[in-house]
Amino acid sequence: PGGHYASILFQSGAETKIQGSGASVAQRVGSLVLLRVSGNVDEKAVLESFSTPSYNERGPIKFLMRVKNDSNTHIRPEGTIVITDLFGKKIDEIPLDGRNVLPGAVRKMTTVWEAKNALGIYTATLISTYGQKKLPMTAAIKFTIIPKMVLILWFVAAIAIIGFILTLIMGRERFIKVLKVMFKG
């Protein structure tokens, strides 16, 4: 019981020798065969990591998932990545781009979110299952999408607001004196 694997290769024509060297070239086409035999199958996988850059200027956003297969058969994670905003409102749901993970191997999988007009702090929650028993595999990460121009505008606006408040509190003449002292020294 468990997973059994083979590859089938087809070669058309004979190998071609390269003159002046001991090398030869052959054209082959191959296919991988994944076979699962029923019986006492041990399904066990570990989500090694689920990540994306914590700061992004814009989409698309790439989510990277690494799965380690500790079972005796191949697995294929299935599920979705749910994107929610800062207030917990569901923004989008992306189908997981799951791939086969062979026994004893670690597989890196990338799923892309085509974020359009996204601005703010988001949470990506991985909700997936693997194997015939549909065993769960979950994780969550937070990330931010803010264009640099927006950050610059927020900074300039904050400085302007602070300056306005200081002029109201201190008076205009006194505020100008403070600015002159700050920029001369």
Side-chain angles (χ1 to χ4, degrees):
H4 299 277
Y5 313 97
S7 71
I8 300 171
L9 295 173
F10 173 74
Q11 179 176 329
S12 63
E15 292 181 353
T16 306
K17 299 253 182 203
I18 299 175
Q19 290 184 349
S21 71
S24 61
V25 177
Q27 295 179 348
R28 293 182 182 159
V29 176
S31 179
L32 184 61
V33 178
L34 307 175
L35 178 68
R36 182 183 173 117
V37 176
S38 297
N40 188 18
V41 175
D42 178 32
E43 292 180 331
K44 183 176 162 190
V46 177
L47 181 64
E48 284 197 336
S49 67
F50 177 59
S51 63
T52 192
S54 59
Y55 170 76
N56 301 278
E57 267 195 75
R58 65 182 73 76
I61 308 297
K62 291 184 180 180
F63 296 100
L64 179 67
M65 177 173 115
R66 293 175 55 88
V67 177
K68 182 178 182 187
N69 185 354
D70 291 326
S71 48
N72 63 357
T73 186
H74 61 280
I75 60 166
R76 183 183 184 117
E78 297 174 342
T80 60
I81 298 174
V82 178
I83 309 294
T84 55
D85 65 10
L86 187 61
F87 306 106
K89 179 183 173 199
K90 182 176 164 183
I91 302 298
D92 204 352
E93 191 168 329
I94 315 149
L96 185 64
D97 189 16
R99 305 253 190 248
N100 286 319
V101 185
L102 297 177
V106 176
R107 181 91 188 240
K108 178 173 83 170
M109 296 170 237
T110 303
T111 302
V112 178
W113 177 39
E114 298 294 338
K116 294 182 178 145
N117 301 325
L119 177 68
I121 300 171
Y122 296 94
T123 301
T125 306
L126 170 69
I127 303 168
S128 67
T129 60
Y130 67 92
Q132 293 204 337
K133 297 177 184 176
K134 301 291 183 194
L135 298 168
M137 195 179 323
T138 60
I141 52 171
K142 288 192 178 287
F143 62 98
T144 305
I145 303 174
I146 300 177
K148 285 182 183 171
M149 192 54 128
V150 171
L151 287 175
I152 292 169
L153 290 174
W154 283 354
F155 180 74
V156 169
I159 296 295
I161 290 169
I162 290 170
F164 179 72
I165 291 171
L166 287 175
T167 56
L168 289 176
I169 294 171
M170 297 172 58
R172 183 179 169 150
E173 292 82 24
R174 197 167 163 205
F175 181 67
I176 291 173
K177 285 180 185 177
V178 170
L179 285 179
K180 284 181 183 178
V181 170
M182 284 176 49
F183 288 113
K184 281 186 181 178

